[in-house]
Amino acid sequence: MANIHPLATVHPGAKLGENVEVGPYAYIDDNVEIGDNTRILPHATIFPYVKIGKDCSVFPGAVIGAIPQDYKFNGEITWVEIGDRVNIRECATINRGTKASGKGVTKIGDDTLIMSYAHVAHDCCVGQHCVLVSYVGIAGETDVEDWAIIGGGTKVHQFSHIGTHAMVGGGTGVNKDVPPYSLCGRQPLVYAGVNLVGLRRRGFDSDVIRNIKDIYDMIYYQGYNFSDAIDRIEAGFPDSVEKKNILDFIRNSKRGIVRARDLHEKGGIE
């Protein structure tokens, strides 16, 4: 049975799981499903056509399921789908999808953290174990793969793609795709190496990390164009999950991947 504060507003058509907590002045509309043990804290707003998983927290001022900020939206039924153990902090916003995109759904994966004032636009897909730091804005139809971290205040162009285990420095603008396992930052955005700290924290073996670094050295620092580098990596490196992820990402990139930081520059990511 849900624990609904008497000052909350919950539409009778909403489906709340066991032990759901709804705080004072929270608003939950029709066609909303909320999983067991999830907390909707005071003054949070859940509009129609939202599914939220188990053990999530939606903090005060957050707005989930507002209609897309997109001229292509024509009132059609579209959704927001949020996984389990997702934390959505104060005043974050997550908009519904649009049918015009062919998706019709905005997705947030399990165990992801959306920090305060972050914005996830229509038809974005954010994977599992991701972190969107405060004031991040990701524009429509952006894909963020599992374990990616986007630093505070970063703005991501529509249709962008951020790869698995990548980290984007704070206060940047993403207008090119960010490949897997990479560390990127500065203005304009550049590749600055492999996300060594993140990979070590997640248990990647030193040999695997070295192999990733060698692949990126071939892509960025051996003087080859991307096509030639891919051919050399395909022929010269042993098969691995990481190699496949990197090459598939580059081949499928629609915006092109970020360029490299000049090796002669002093200092790292600021």
Side-chain angles (χ1 to χ4, degrees):
M1 184 175 178
N3 179 16
I4 302 172
H5 193 280
L7 294 177
T9 299
V10 179
H11 192 283
K15 298 178 181 179
L16 307 186
E18 291 295 317
N19 301 314
V20 169
E21 175 187 332
V22 183
Y25 303 105
Y27 177 84
I28 300 175
D29 212 327
D30 195 8
N31 294 298
V32 171
E33 299 179 19
I34 299 176
D36 298 346
N37 305 309
T38 286
R39 299 186 305 151
I40 309 300
L41 297 177
H43 297 279
T45 299
I46 317 294
F47 284 120
Y49 307 114
V50 172
K51 298 178 182 179
I52 301 176
K54 300 177 181 179
D55 301 300
C56 297
S57 294
V58 181
F59 278 72
V63 179
I64 302 174
I67 62 172
Q69 298 171 66
D70 181 5
Y71 283 126
K72 297 188 297 296
F73 181 71
N74 196 32
E76 64 268 25
I77 294 176
T78 56
W79 290 87
V80 169
E81 296 180 0
I82 294 170
D84 298 334
R85 299 173 300 281
V86 175
N87 275 301
I88 300 167
R89 295 303 303 258
E90 296 83 354
C91 300
T93 55
I94 303 172
N95 289 168
R96 282 163 48 193
T98 63
K99 286 290 179 64
S101 72
K103 295 180 182 178
V105 61
T106 302
K107 292 185 177 182
I108 309 292
D110 297 345
D111 300 292
T112 282
L113 171 59
I114 310 293
M115 291 192 188
S116 56
Y117 294 92
H119 175 65
V120 180
H122 66 90
D123 302 289
C124 289
C125 182
V126 179
Q128 300 181 21
H129 302 280
C130 293
V131 179
L132 274 56
V133 181
S134 297
Y135 299 98
V136 162
I138 61 173
E141 302 182 54
T142 291
D143 290 330
V144 182
E145 294 184 358
D146 296 349
W147 296 100
I149 298 175
I150 306 177
T154 291
K155 310 305 177 191
V156 183
H157 196 284
Q158 63 183 349
F159 307 112
S160 294
H161 192 180
I162 296 175
T164 185
H165 293 280
M167 181 169 185
V168 180
T172 61
V174 176
N175 58 3
K176 293 287 186 181
D177 291 342
V178 176
Y181 318 109
S182 67
L183 175 66
C184 297
R186 297 195 171 192
Q187 289 283 19
L189 190 71
V190 292
Y191 168 84
V194 174
N195 183 15
L196 298 175
V197 173
L199 296 180
R200 288 169 181 157
R201 286 176 176 171
R202 294 161 201 155
F204 279 70
D205 183 86
S206 295
D207 290 338
V208 173
I209 294 174
R210 169 56 64 179
N211 198 52
I212 293 170
K213 184 179 183 302
D214 289 345
I215 288 173
Y216 278 120
D217 284 348
M218 179 71 73
I219 291 169
Y220 283 115
Y221 298 129
Q222 299 300 317
Y224 303 111
N225 62 40
F226 287 155
S227 178
D228 288 342
I230 287 172
D231 290 342
R232 289 176 179 270
I233 292 164
E234 195 71 82
F237 284 79
D239 290 338
S240 67
V241 171
E242 294 75 25
K243 170 185 165 182
K244 184 177 187 304
N245 284 343
I246 294 168
L247 295 188
D248 286 351
F249 186 97
I250 296 172
R251 288 179 176 130
N252 294 326
S253 174
K254 296 178 180 178
R255 298 187 59 79
I257 64 171
V258 297
R259 297 290 172 172
R261 178 173 64 92
D262 188 340
L263 282 176
H264 299 291
E265 291 183 15
K266 295 181 179 180
I269 294 295
E270 296 176 355

